[in-house]
Amino acid sequence: MTRLAGGLSLGVVLLAVASLLVGPAGIGPGESLSALIRGDGGPLTLVMREIRMPRALLAIMIGASLGLAGAAMQGYLRNPLAEPGLIGVSGSAALGAVLAIHTGLAASFALALPLAALTGALGAVALVMALAGPRGTSLTLILAGIAVSALAAAFTSLVLNLSPNPFAANEIVFWMMGSLADRSMLHVWLALPFMLLGAFLLARLGRGLDALTLGEDAAQAMGIDLPRLRLMLIVGTACVVGSGTAVAGAIGFVGLVVPHILRPFVGAQPSRLLWASALGGAIMVLAADVAVREILPARDLKLGVLTALVGAPLFLHLILKLRQERI
Amino acid sequence: MSVSQHPFEVMLCRLLLSLGLAIGPGVAFSEAPGRVVSMNLCTDQLAMMLAAPGQLHSVTYLAIDPRASAMAEEAEAYQINRGLAEEIYLMQPDLVIAGAFSTQATVAMLKRLGIPVVVFDPAQSLEDVRDRVMQMGDVLDRQAAARALLDEFDARLNALRAEVAERPRAVLYYANGYTSGDQSLAGQILAVAGFSNVAVEAGFNAGDTLPMEVLVMTDPDLAITSRPYPGASRAEAILDHPAVTAFRAGRRSAGMTDRDWVCGTPYVLRAIEALSTVRDDLTGAPQ
């Protein structure tokens, strides 16, 4: 188990360094790292500290958040399809963020943007979980998710199309696909407090989720307070997904793919899957963000494009597996 | 630098244009069209400059927007269209002038309905501006007015072209991080105003996005940015990124008045004049 933790942590560190070294400015690795650490106030330091550093930090934070949220929701609903992007939580968070920006609320006080996104995410998690119910089938969960995400996407597009700014309508793709291009430390500070709070809440769910694998009655007999568990899950997920989406748009499939890949390595134990998925999510988003800069450096390729390319085939694989099980 | 740097492109453009005009359905230039509708911001302005009284019937809604149009007040005198085939057909024009970026479906529909349509290509250089003025003169059968406008244009341009000893380095940085190289109208405005283009030094061309990292590393004397529109957008928010703000501190920056830059009309001279003043300030040259 420590081997898995060590391997994943090493992966995060290596990819974070790669993320700091990759960029269109074409600076040598030694030079850029020394500019980052020493800070001579020149343009190189500006590039490293204000452009690349927030990008790498946000990739880690958002990746870990999505992995953690995915693992927690899948553990609670005991359903491999529960994922913040798929069930419309990310989309609703994006709607909250777009509303805050385009009503001018985001300009009035700094935390308005993450708070609005968090509210959107909170509404979506609560709604989907109410619609699907604790013992809901995959079908009801996915249907509820489709309804919520379609609605959120439609309203997001509507708000952006109504904006007097001619550029706003083109940004629908940013909010649906997500990107870390040109983010700043400001965005890191906006998202960090909510992510820490959410991660704290979700990380404490491990014991309850382990007990839930035996069924709800058994879990209750073991002294797990299920309503409280549910509340912590809802608030925690809304915090991490909401604040991440507020600064980087909705990045899909991370919370689906990462727990699915890592589940066999942790013996399908939800409590261990939580931290493993957090590390794995950070790896996936860091890798995707390095890749978008390498594949099309000048085009701001959206992160969601890459994560969907990896995630959609896995989704098909899950369907095939479900079909086999039924037969 | 009086000719565009890609003579072949210009030649090809002209060839295509002459073909387009030659085989365009029913475009007869023997007599002047009496009722003309323009459905492109740039042809709006050229037509307003050259048309005989009463000849131009309608211009686009963009022509009355002072952020985009250098002739917003003049445009108030005309009918406004939104470039939809139905409304343009109902205006019963003798001639429709469209831009190369006008909706293809609309242009095709108007042609099917038997309305002559002339398509103008966007101007990529100052030489193109001269061509477009002449083309508009031909299309409206107002060659004399076009020649008079061109004479004035050439005289003012020559006066502005005075050789400068020192060329400060400038960068064009618009919303979404777009920049312009030499083979663009904005790039030529910059060159004639006596600046060297940092984006070209860094290997970027017209319509490329200049990554923020590269912008910060270029270290130019002047940063020219676009004026933000009302309402928020992520595209324009990058102009307030901490890295860009720090980069702009201690450096001259000029807000770019889009309307003088956006179209290949003689108004580009106004943009060049404004920039030349900034250059004189920067280099301390006598005004």
Side-chain angles (χ1 to χ4, degrees):
Chain A
M1 199 45 51
T2 44
R3 272 197 16 226
L4 178 67
L8 289 174
S9 307
L10 185 68
V12 172
V13 172
L14 287 180
L15 279 165
V17 173
S19 172
L20 286 171
L21 296 182
V22 168
I27 319 157
E31 214 182 329
S32 19
L33 288 181
S34 91
L36 175 69
I37 295 158
R38 275 196 268 125
D40 49 5
L44 197 52
T45 309
L46 204 57
V47 167
M48 293 307 294
R49 288 196 177 168
E50 296 292 344
I51 298 176
R52 291 197 191 168
M53 176 117 109
R55 193 164 185 160
L57 286 177
L58 282 174
I60 295 173
M61 286 159 54
I62 291 167
S65 296
L66 292 172
L68 190 61
M73 296 189 83
Q74 292 176 16
Y76 178 76
L77 294 168
R78 281 154 287 160
N79 187 330
L81 296 180
E83 193 258 346
L86 218 53
I87 64 169
V89 181
S90 302
S92 306
L95 174 62
V98 164
L99 278 173
I101 291 174
H102 290 271
T103 53
L105 191 65
S108 60
F109 69 103
L111 288 179
L113 176 67
L115 280 175
L118 199 153
T119 311
L122 198 61
V125 196
L127 187 63
V128 167
M129 291 189 42
L131 287 172
R135 266 180 294 255
T137 60
S138 295
L139 188 66
T140 48
L141 178 74
I142 292 301
L143 281 180
I146 290 174
V148 170
S149 33
L151 211 58
F155 277 118
T156 305
S157 305
L158 179 67
V159 173
L160 291 172
N161 272 316
L162 286 176
S163 164
N165 191 302
F167 296 105
N170 292 330
E171 281 157 22
I172 294 173
V173 62
F174 164 77
W175 291 108
M176 309 267 166
M177 289 302 220
S179 164
L180 289 172
D182 300 338
R183 306 283 81 190
S184 66
M185 286 309 284
L186 189 71
H187 297 112
V188 174
W189 299 127
L190 278 184
L192 193 62
F194 298 101
M195 282 197 176
L196 288 178
L197 174 66
F200 174 73
L201 290 175
L202 293 179
R204 285 162 46 102
L205 295 180
R207 203 176 73 86
L209 294 180
D210 282 351
L212 258 185
T213 53
L214 304 172
E216 282 179 26
D217 295 340
Q220 262 165 340
M222 287 164 73
I224 304 296
D225 182 355
L226 284 182
R228 186 164 163 274
L229 181 84
R230 189 184 171 99
L231 185 69
M232 279 169 66
L233 176 74
I234 291 179
V235 176
T237 305
C239 279
V240 295
V241 176
S243 53
T245 306
V247 296
I251 302 166
F253 290 104
V254 177
L256 178 77
V257 175
V258 172
H260 180 75
I261 292 175
L262 292 175
R263 194 166 284 121
F265 293 100
V266 295
Q269 193 180 339
S271 57
R272 276 146 66 182
L273 189 60
L274 284 179
W275 59 258
S277 295
L279 291 172
I283 289 181
M284 182 169 173
V285 173
L286 274 170
D289 189 45
V290 169
V292 293
R293 279 181 280 175
E294 284 295 306
I295 297 170
L296 281 174
R299 290 297 172 87
D300 187 18
L301 182 63
K302 302 292 180 252
L303 275 177
V305 176
L306 279 191
T307 54
L309 283 177
V310 179
L314 186 93
F315 201 79
L316 297 178
H317 169 72
L318 278 177
I319 295 177
L320 289 177
K321 221 171 88 178
L322 284 176
R323 191 180 285 174
Q324 278 166 358
E325 277 168 14
R326 213 169 289 161
I327 296 166
Chain B
M1 278 268 306
S2 68
V3 191
S4 162
Q5 297 196 339
H6 268 227
F8 172 69
E9 263 178 31
V10 173
M11 208 179 70
L12 191 70
C13 263
R14 282 188 188 146
L15 183 71
L16 289 174
L17 270 177
S18 57
L19 280 177
L21 291 184
I23 58 173
V27 185
F29 294 108
S30 48
E31 55 189 90
R35 194 176 171 87
V36 177
V37 170
S38 161
M39 47 184 283
N40 169 279
L41 172 65
C42 298
T43 56
D44 285 344
Q45 299 181 50
L46 285 173
M48 281 190 274
M49 282 176 214
L50 293 177
Q55 189 181 19
L56 180 62
H57 177 68
S58 170
V59 293
T60 65
Y61 68 102
L62 289 170
I64 54 168
D65 179 354
R67 281 187 304 266
S69 164
M71 298 178 72
E73 279 175 30
E74 291 91 326
E76 299 281 358
Y78 301 90
Q79 290 275 318
I80 297 303
N81 72 72
R82 290 195 158 254
L84 302 172
E86 186 177 312
E87 57 172 349
I88 290 173
Y89 180 71
L90 290 176
M91 288 174 180
Q92 299 185 309
D94 298 331
L95 177 70
V96 170
I97 303 172
F101 295 137
S102 300
T103 323
Q104 296 301 309
T106 310
V107 169
M109 163 83 77
L110 290 172
K111 283 182 176 166
R112 271 205 306 280
L113 292 171
I115 296 173
V117 183
V118 179
V119 177
F120 275 54
D121 283 322
Q124 308 286 3
S125 66
L126 293 172
E127 189 59 28
D128 281 1
V129 175
R130 302 185 81 260
D131 289 349
R132 296 300 170 271
V133 170
M134 282 313 292
Q135 189 188 355
M136 186 58 82
D138 287 340
V139 165
L140 297 179
D141 198 27
R142 297 275 295 165
Q143 287 88 349
R147 265 192 299 276
L149 187 64
L150 268 193
D151 287 344
E152 192 201 328
F153 177 80
D154 289 341
R156 278 174 71 192
L157 185 58
N158 282 331
L160 285 168
R161 261 188 214 285
E163 204 41 57
V164 284
E166 190 188 341
R167 295 182 83 82
R169 299 164 69 248
V171 65
L172 294 161
Y173 194 66
Y174 317 135
N176 269 330
Y178 277 101
T179 190
S180 291
D182 277 344
Q183 274 100 56
S184 68
L185 196 57
Q188 294 214 340
I189 289 173
L190 203 61
V192 175
F195 285 93
S196 70
N197 190 338
V198 172
V200 176
E201 281 174 36
F204 289 85
N205 280 310
D208 281 351
T209 50
L210 186 66
M212 193 182 283
E213 291 185 7
V214 179
L215 172 79
V216 170
M217 298 297 288
T218 51
D219 194 27
D221 300 309
L222 177 72
I224 301 165
T225 50
S226 50
R227 289 239 171 105
Y229 281 85
S233 75
R234 208 180 151 265
E236 291 169 339
I238 62 166
L239 302 175
D240 297 325
H241 189 284
V244 177
T245 317
F247 156 86
R248 284 207 282 193
R251 209 173 254 115
R252 271 296 293 268
S253 59
M256 185 163 120
T257 50
D258 281 318
R259 55 186 186 165
D260 287 341
W261 293 64
V262 72
C263 277
T265 69
Y267 280 103
V268 295
L269 296 174
R270 210 156 69 177
I272 297 176
E273 280 158 3
L275 260 193
S276 300
T277 317
V278 175
R279 188 205 60 217
D280 289 344
D281 278 357
L282 269 173
T283 58
Q287 304 263 329

